[in-house]
Amino acid sequence: MMDSPDPGPHIAPMDSTGKTALVTGGNKGIGFAVVRQLAAHGYTTWLGSRDEARGRAAVAALEEAGAGDVRFIALDVTDEASGAAAAARIASLTPSLDVLINNAGIYVKEGDGAPSTVRLDAMRATYDVNVFGPLRVTAAFLPLLRAARGAHVVMVGAGLGSLTLQLDPSQGLSRWPAFAYSSSKTALNALTVGFANELREEGIVVTVVNPGFVATDLNGHAGTLTTDEGAERVLRAVQLPLSATGSFVTDHGTCPW
């Protein structure tokens, strides 16, 4: 995928002194790399995971590697009660949340496809995680985000979410038969803009990031980038100023909508 030549907004140095972060779907893939990098920058980082055993194992591995202050939090993004419980738990231990990374996402291989063949159950399952999940989690953590100074909400999107790129016959994305997944990422872009407009006056920066074609379980590890490279793109969004809120960003600037 080709990025826009737009150099993007100025990125300020990362200041993580005493700050806290939450990453959904943090037990593997890009989310795990984001947790590790945030902790290395000094953030107290909550690793959200639907599967408690996998989540705690991921935290244990990071602790063994000396990654920093990483803590497990049970969080199923498809369950509103789970989000509320996670928010209450974190609120009992810290007065604010500086960074929320909505990373959890799925691709339903069996059932996704072209619009004429995609199964509705695959659409529903995909949207429940990829769109309604970030909506639920962001809403649940708004009180903590509002209590922070200049909080950042980062949605982990995809190049497939760009309608402009999908309409370009020269782009491979135009020939990718995954309507449930791609349209969910387009909807995530819209959700990003909606939250950005709602929260701008409160100083909360909301962006969506295209991490690139990263090798993860989601694509059968066919990606050309490592999870660390994808995570680095996500972390750049944590440093963006308020003027960038509502942006669709990637490695070298912004992506077209």
Side-chain angles (χ1 to χ4, degrees):
M1 191 197 82
M2 295 179 63
D3 296 332
S4 162
D6 180 355
H10 172 70
I11 296 178
M14 182 173 280
D15 177 12
S16 56
T17 306
K19 291 188 175 181
T20 57
L22 165 66
V23 182
T24 68
N27 59 287
K28 64 177 182 177
I30 296 173
F32 183 78
V34 169
V35 170
R36 182 174 61 242
Q37 291 187 25
L38 281 169
H41 278 289
Y43 283 83
T44 295
T45 308
W46 293 88
L47 185 154
S49 175
R50 178 179 61 180
D51 186 300
E52 181 170 353
R54 292 178 180 177
R56 291 193 181 280
V59 170
L62 290 169
E63 288 177 342
E64 186 176 351
D69 190 353
V70 179
R71 307 179 186 189
F72 169 75
I73 188 73
L75 180 53
D76 180 352
V77 303
T78 68
D79 185 342
E80 189 171 350
S82 175
R89 169 64 176 162
I90 293 177
S92 72
L93 297 169
T94 184
S96 61
L97 183 69
D98 298 280
V99 174
L100 169 59
I101 310 290
N102 282 302
N103 164 76
I106 63 168
Y107 164 53
V108 182
K109 186 176 181 179
E110 299 299 325
D112 206 342
S116 62
T117 61
V118 67
R119 293 202 319 243
L120 288 180
D121 61 335
M123 289 281 293
R124 294 187 184 99
T126 302
Y127 271 64
D128 201 21
V129 175
N130 295 0
V131 183
F132 306 142
L135 176 59
R136 293 184 188 101
V137 173
T138 304
F141 281 89
L142 268 182
L144 282 171
L145 291 164
R146 284 172 165 145
R149 181 179 179 182
H152 283 73
V153 178
V154 180
M155 314 289 191
V156 178
L160 278 165
S162 167
L163 296 176
T164 300
L165 294 176
Q166 286 193 60
L167 279 169
D168 184 350
S170 70
Q171 297 286 331
L173 298 179
S174 67
R175 299 181 293 278
W176 196 282
F179 181 69
Y181 179 79
S182 62
S183 65
S184 76
K185 292 300 184 179
T186 304
L188 183 64
N189 288 351
L191 180 63
T192 300
V193 171
F195 269 127
N197 286 336
E198 179 182 359
L199 302 174
R200 181 181 288 105
E201 296 303 318
E202 298 180 62
I204 298 175
V205 184
V206 187
T207 52
V208 59
V209 177
N210 170 22
F213 192 30
V214 178
T216 65
D217 289 348
L218 188 143
N219 57 42
H221 294 273
T224 56
L225 299 175
T226 67
T227 54
D228 279 333
E229 289 172 323
E232 287 169 4
R233 296 183 179 190
V234 174
L235 258 65
R236 290 190 187 106
V238 175
Q239 305 167 68
L240 292 172
L242 184 59
S243 60
T245 196
S247 298
F248 184 12
V249 298
T250 189
D251 197 25
H252 300 296
T254 58
C255 284
W257 294 111

